Amino acid sequence: MLTLSMNTQTILAGMSIGLFVYYVIKRMRYRLPPGPWCIPLVGHYKIYSSPEIHVKIAKLAKEYGPIVRLSAGPQTWVVLNDINSVLEAMVKRKADFAGRPHFASGDMFTEGGKDIALANYSASWKFHRKIAGKALRHYLQGDLLENMIQDNMNKFLDKMAEEKGPFVFKEYVDLMVFHQLYTICFGEKRPVDDPEVKEFIKLDNDLSEKFGAGFFEDIFPYLKNIFTTAKWKVFLVLSEEVLNILRKKFKEHKETFQPGVNRDFIDSMLIAKQEAKDEGDEAVLEILDDTHLVQTISDIFFAGVDTTRFTMDWFVYFMTRFPEFQEKCQEEIDRVVGPHQPSMKDRSKLDYTEACLFESMRLSNVLGLGVPHMTICDSQIGGYDVPKGTTVLINFWALHHDPKQWKDPEQFDPHRFLDENGKMKPIKPESWLPFSAGRRVCLGETLAKPEILLMCANLLKRFEISLPEGVKPNLEYHMQGFGVELPSDYKIVVKERSG
Ligand code: HEM
């Protein structure tokens, strides 16, 4: 017994010395960015387990500078907290920072990184990003997107008009955005109360509310096979349910696909596959298998749904808190659009409304610390070394609240985006970066900006939105996982406008 315990002690002591030597050698080889001390292997638990992680890291940046190094379990994270470090890493260093780290829940949901958003930097990722980008551009041609949005919005605005008292706006925005993505991805226009869409919203809400903060298994993946948390088990069931819905939609499309006819985003994927078949391109066909294609659809659906609905929810939240801005948007919409419904051609003249949307995107934090990047080679930022395989995060909140870049950063002020003639400034403020930058910049940016603006303009054209009588405006929000801020479930009342 004594020998056994001596042996265990010797092994543990050996392992600790080994780890210490490894740590010292690693430190000596690289000039790593600075960061606070932590317990080795556990890391900065109080920071990475906190929903307010973005604010905590921004505070550390005041002490350590804009590039902060942290440990999450055995992983090293480098967090970028100002625009200069972000542009240096993501743009100046080309593809150095364009990788994605593996993490257990991401690998699980993307069937081993077969999607775009969580796939590592590779030829396959580039190809899938290219065909998905081409498919999205299809919606920007002619009046396809505009018709889709107008039809969809009318359905829900009519339903909203039936509300006699205060109601939770979030429930409507969820429906509007899900139905919109149903049309884009699956070519389906479903009735307002459709049970399938409602069930899908519930699944997505469960996934993002319960699991947005990540998993123990993400930080300590090697413990996954020894000890599985209850949260992880539920996640496996829910993610399989979600993927099965998408697989079913994909199968139905495959069975009814007619070459040359493009009904929706899934058809665009099938057309890309057909083209590869016609060209006999075996290498491309190999990476265009059904799993990859379903994963691309999943990315467009989920990357598009949550960001869009949270952004619109924030916009309406600010409009109810600041009725004076709402009124100015409505004056502009009435002047530009007249008696018609806002359309794409009005977009370039809706400067004030767009400035309010951009300002609400600055002040809200719908993506927290964004999607983690990873260095694909040894690189540098701000004079520090960043070794290959390091997880790199962008603190969008810090960029959007940086007092060096924004006067009174906590104030809602759309004029930051407008010139002296009330037009959108031709160059947006540098530190406004909700869609990120560089090789991994949001693939849906060109679709999301007009889509959300048009949805907001349609809403404000039809209704005056206010808080229920007696409810005082406040700026409360709740955290949903990894630094994501969402407005608390507020209620609004709507009054039809005559404009
Ligand atoms: C307000 C709306 C949106 C915001 C704020 C937003 C923001 C972002 C951000 C910050 C990233 C991570 C970039 C990085 O890794 O540095 C991202 C990635 C991505 N977004 Fe968006 N997004 C929005 C809407 C959309 C929409 C509507 C779509 C699709 C229709 C979309 C598709 C994607 C995809 C596919 C990626 C992964 C790109 C890659 O890894 O190569 N997004 N988005």
Side-chain angles (χ1 to χ4, degrees), residues 100 117 125 129 303-304 307 311 367 373 434-436 440 442 444 452:
R100 294 283 193 220
W125 162 79
R129 192 174 153 111
T307 45
T311 299
L367 258 175
H373 286 242
F435 297 96
S436 191
R440 288 283 186 164
C442 170
I452 302 174

Side-chain angles (χ1 to χ4, degrees), residues 385-444:
D385 293 322
V386 186
K388 179 179 174 181
T390 306
T391 295
V392 179
L393 300 162
I394 303 174
N395 190 348
F396 290 101
W397 185 89
L399 260 58
H400 291 164
H401 289 77
D402 185 346
K404 289 192 199 120
Q405 301 283 340
W406 307 98
K407 188 170 175 273
D408 301 325
E410 300 308 323
Q411 297 289 319
F412 185 94
D413 180 6
H415 298 100
R416 303 174 196 279
F417 296 90
L418 298 168
D419 67 14
E420 58 286 359
N421 301 316
K423 302 296 289 173
M424 282 298 271
K425 286 180 184 160
I427 301 172
K428 62 176 175 49
E430 205 181 28
S431 199
W432 186 80
L433 213 65
F435 297 96
S436 191
R439 309 273 158 129
R440 288 283 186 164
V441 67
C442 170
L443 186 62

Side-chain angles (χ1 to χ4, degrees), residues 19 22-23 26-27 32-50 53 56-57 60 64 67-79 218-222 369 387 389-393 482:
L19 275 170
Y22 169 75
Y23 178 74
K26 201 168 151 188
R27 284 294 317 240
L32 300 175
W37 184 88
C38 67
I39 304 169
L41 288 181
V42 174
H44 299 94
Y45 179 76
K46 280 200 174 151
I47 299 174
Y48 67 73
S49 63
S50 162
I53 180 170
K56 289 197 170 167
I57 298 177
L60 288 176
Y64 293 92
I67 306 164
V68 177
R69 180 172 50 88
L70 293 171
S71 297
Q75 305 159 24
T76 300
W77 289 357
V78 168
V79 190
D218 287 336
I219 305 284
F220 301 102
Y222 39 83
L369 297 178
T390 306
T391 295
V392 179
L393 300 162
F482 211 49

Side-chain angles (χ1 to χ4, degrees), residues 343-359:
S343 66
M344 279 302 171
K345 72 173 180 343
D346 304 314
R347 185 186 166 205
S348 60
K349 293 185 213 121
L350 294 174
D351 297 87
Y352 195 86
T353 314
E354 188 160 43
C356 284
L357 175 61
F358 280 22
E359 177 66 344

Side-chain angles (χ1 to χ4, degrees), residues 240-275:
E240 200 48 27
E241 266 184 62
V242 166
L243 287 177
N244 278 339
I245 296 177
L246 298 177
R247 287 179 192 130
K248 189 167 157 261
K249 299 273 178 210
F250 182 72
K251 187 166 169 275
E252 284 164 5
H253 274 70
K254 250 174 89 171
E255 284 162 5
T256 53
F257 176 65
Q258 290 177 306
V261 181
N262 189 346
R263 296 165 294 181
D264 48 40
F265 187 84
I266 299 189
D267 273 0
S268 297
M269 296 296 101
L270 293 172
I271 289 170
K273 187 163 182 168
Q274 184 69 45
E275 284 169 2

Side-chain angles (χ1 to χ4, degrees), residues 202-458:
K202 194 183 164 306
L203 267 175
D204 184 49
N205 276 335
D206 279 355
L207 269 174
S208 49
E209 271 164 28
K210 296 200 178 96
F211 309 123
F215 298 86
F216 176 75
E217 285 79 356
D218 287 336
I219 305 284
F220 301 102
Y222 39 83
L223 295 181
K224 187 163 65 83
N225 301 328
I226 306 167
F227 169 73
T228 312
T229 57
K231 189 174 160 184
W232 180 258
K233 286 182 195 153
V234 180
F235 167 69
L236 295 187
V237 175
L238 286 184
S239 47
E240 200 48 27
E241 266 184 62
V242 166
L243 287 177
N244 278 339
I245 296 177
L246 298 177
R247 287 179 192 130
K248 189 167 157 261
K249 299 273 178 210
F250 182 72
K251 187 166 169 275
E252 284 164 5
H253 274 70
K254 250 174 89 171
E255 284 162 5
T256 53
F257 176 65
Q258 290 177 306
V261 181
N262 189 346
R263 296 165 294 181
D264 48 40
F265 187 84
I266 299 189
D267 273 0
S268 297
M269 296 296 101
L270 293 172
I271 289 170
K273 187 163 182 168
Q274 184 69 45
E275 284 169 2
K277 258 190 206 153
D278 294 346
E279 284 163 23
D281 195 334
E282 290 301 324
V284 167
L285 278 172
E286 208 168 296
I287 52 168
L288 274 179
D289 63 13
D290 289 0
T291 313
H292 273 98
L293 293 183
V294 170
Q295 281 294 337
T296 298
I297 298 155
S298 164
D299 259 8
I300 296 306
F301 201 90
F302 290 107
V305 155
D306 283 357
T307 45
T308 306
R309 65 190 176 133
F310 297 161
T311 299
M312 197 164 163
D313 198 14
W314 270 112
F315 175 83
V316 171
Y317 185 78
F318 285 120
M319 291 296 106
T320 56
R321 265 66 187 166
F322 306 115
E324 65 279 20
F325 293 124
Q326 183 184 157
E327 232 170 85
K328 283 197 172 174
C329 288
Q330 281 156 339
E331 269 166 35
E332 176 183 75
I333 296 167
D334 290 346
R335 179 169 30 83
V336 170
V337 176
H340 313 286
Q341 200 177 350
S343 66
M344 279 302 171
K345 72 173 180 343
D346 304 314
R347 185 186 166 205
S348 60
K349 293 185 213 121
L350 294 174
D351 297 87
Y352 195 86
T353 314
E354 188 160 43
C356 284
L357 175 61
F358 280 22
E359 177 66 344
S360 106
M361 291 174 85
R362 181 187 72 81
L363 269 179
S364 57
N365 204 32
V366 300
L367 258 175
L369 297 178
V371 187
H373 286 242
M374 185 188 74
T375 38
I376 57 168
C377 55
D378 280 359
S379 190
Q380 287 195 318
I381 349 171
Y384 296 110
D385 293 322
V386 186
K388 179 179 174 181
T390 306
T391 295
V392 179
L393 300 162
I394 303 174
N395 190 348
F396 290 101
W397 185 89
L399 260 58
H400 291 164
H401 289 77
D402 185 346
K404 289 192 199 120
Q405 301 283 340
W406 307 98
K407 188 170 175 273
D408 301 325
E410 300 308 323
Q411 297 289 319
F412 185 94
D413 180 6
H415 298 100
R416 303 174 196 279
F417 296 90
L418 298 168
D419 67 14
E420 58 286 359
N421 301 316
K423 302 296 289 173
M424 282 298 271
K425 286 180 184 160
I427 301 172
K428 62 176 175 49
E430 205 181 28
S431 199
W432 186 80
L433 213 65
F435 297 96
S436 191
R439 309 273 158 129
R440 288 283 186 164
V441 67
C442 170
L443 186 62
E445 176 174 359
T446 44
L447 180 90
K449 285 201 285 206
E451 182 195 18
I452 302 174
L453 181 67
L454 210 52
M455 287 168 80
C456 294
N458 271 278

